[in-house]
Amino acid sequence: MDRPTELVPHRYVAIGGRGPEDVVADARGRVLTGVEDGRILRVDGLMEPSAARVEVLADTGGRPLGLELLPDGDLLVCDAERGLLRVGLDDGVVRVLADSVAGERLRFCSNVVALSDGSVCFTVSSRRYPLHQWIGDIVEHTGTGRLLRLAPGSESPEVLLEGLHFANGLAASADESFLVVAETGAYRLTRHWLTGPRAGHGEPFAENLPGMPDNLWRGAPDGPIWVALAGPRVPPLDLLHRAAPAVRRSAARVAVRAPFRPTGTIGVLAVDDTGRVVHHLARRRSGFRMVTGVCETDGRLILGSIWERGIAVCEAPVLK
């Protein structure tokens, strides 16, 4: 992979809440995010810091993570505590679409995408660890992540793909022939075919990434898929992932009790529908840490973070 270009920050916008884990932009350039206390926020005026306005749209009563705007103006929310939700942005009404699969509670919904046929696909990061112990799953390398699909009118999701290493961000190809899933714990993006001769099968899409992929975002179908990199590669972790399961479990028990502080290295990628990296932006010794979400609006990249109390506005590259 080519040497990354500098990720240039323009400003930091406090939003009055901690952990804007995912960020999505609407047609008017406003950014929506969910924070630790359950609120769904909409931020306007990002290009002028003194004029930035934060509006509370709803409260999920849980912990919102991945978001997806629907054509009718509603918002799909993956809530780590409550499951897959649909939120009315005009009235703040929160409706549970799915909170279990085959009788098993959905404990760690992560990211979601709506397809043109009315189905909703979403990821579950771990079947073993809840959100507050996420690092345990990364260390143990459980491979219990899933990709699920909720058919129109159904209340019971079906499993499309399992055995994923911390399934996270999700995006569809331009023609919706396949889905791209971020496997945070494996430093890769995986493709799951929805149509064609390989329908129902998964395969590598982009491997050996320079960091841990988190949320994915795609604006227009002809635009790239943006990939947030939550952290750089950690060589000792790579070695641990090759150790015996008992060793990884022991290390995970230590990790969930140890204090955690993210590194100062942040980054984002843009990939096309062939899996080719068209942009890699990074910054070392950044004051804004642990980028878990990225979207593009008005010629700027907007960064979210499960760690920070605000969002960052950065310069966007000229897309190739």
Side-chain angles (χ1 to χ4, degrees):
M1 186 173 295
D2 294 338
R3 184 181 180 87
T5 56
E6 185 76 4
L7 183 57
V8 181
H10 285 286
R11 61 190 67 93
Y12 173 88
V13 180
I15 58 172
R18 186 172 190 268
E21 195 265 351
D22 194 17
V23 285
V24 297
D26 68 14
R28 294 172 55 183
R30 300 173 299 184
V31 171
L32 289 90
T33 190
V35 290
E36 188 177 65
D37 61 13
R39 290 176 299 152
I40 302 295
L41 308 178
R42 184 164 59 201
V43 189
D44 197 5
L46 284 170
M47 299 307 115
E48 302 177 28
S50 61
R53 300 177 298 280
V54 180
E55 179 183 3
V56 179
L57 301 179
D59 190 330
T60 70
R63 202 329 176 179
L65 298 175
L67 311 175
E68 168 88 336
L69 276 166
L70 294 171
D72 65 5
D74 279 3
L75 185 71
L76 292 174
V77 179
C78 275
D79 191 291
E81 298 173 7
R82 300 195 61 200
L84 178 65
L85 312 178
R86 182 176 180 129
V87 177
L89 299 185
D90 291 332
D91 56 16
V93 172
V94 177
R95 183 160 61 95
V96 178
L97 298 182
D99 58 9
S100 65
V101 55
E104 179 183 339
R105 178 173 168 263
L106 292 171
R107 73 159 71 202
F108 198 160
C109 288
S110 193
N111 203 253
V112 58
V113 66
L115 301 179
S116 58
D117 67 358
S119 61
V120 174
C121 298
F122 61 105
T123 56
V124 171
S125 291
S126 175
R127 297 170 67 190
R128 187 169 301 170
Y129 290 89
L131 174 62
H132 72 278
Q133 293 182 328
W134 64 268
I135 197 168
D137 197 279
I138 294 294
V139 170
E140 187 177 345
H141 208 46
T142 68
T144 60
R146 282 175 157 181
L147 171 62
L148 306 176
R149 175 182 178 268
L150 186 67
S154 175
E155 296 179 358
S156 301
E158 62 175 315
V159 178
L160 296 181
L161 195 61
E162 54 188 343
L164 301 172
H165 290 287
F166 206 90
N168 206 326
L170 188 62
S173 64
D175 62 1
E176 295 190 357
S177 62
F178 61 85
L179 297 171
V180 177
V181 186
E183 289 191 77
T184 304
Y187 305 107
R188 71 183 172 214
L189 305 179
T190 294
R191 168 164 44 200
H192 177 78
W193 287 100
L194 297 172
T195 62
R198 290 191 55 76
H201 293 275
E203 63 188 20
F205 184 67
E207 297 185 282
N208 198 31
L209 298 180
M212 296 181 175
D214 204 287
N215 284 313
L216 309 182
W217 182 83
R218 182 171 219 156
D222 60 350
I225 298 171
W226 282 102
V227 184
L229 297 178
R233 294 193 71 124
V234 182
L237 183 61
D238 293 347
L239 290 174
L240 181 61
H241 285 172
R242 295 194 287 270
V247 174
R248 301 199 306 269
R249 283 195 296 271
S250 295
R253 285 195 291 269
V254 173
V256 297
R257 295 193 298 267
F260 172 79
R261 180 172 175 79
T263 73
T265 298
I266 61 171
V268 299
L269 301 174
V271 300
D272 64 18
D273 273 359
T274 70
R276 180 176 67 97
V277 175
V278 295
H279 285 291
H280 176 200
L281 292 82
R283 184 177 183 85
R284 298 181 63 189
R285 294 183 291 276
S286 169
F288 187 88
R289 296 172 182 263
M290 201 172 181
V291 174
T292 54
V294 57
C295 67
E296 190 274 335
T297 183
D298 293 329
R300 297 287 187 268
L301 291 179
I302 311 300
L303 308 182
S305 167
I306 200 169
W307 181 264
E308 300 288 347
R309 298 188 65 85
I311 56 180
V313 181
C314 299
E315 182 177 320
V318 177
L319 295 178
K320 302 175 183 177

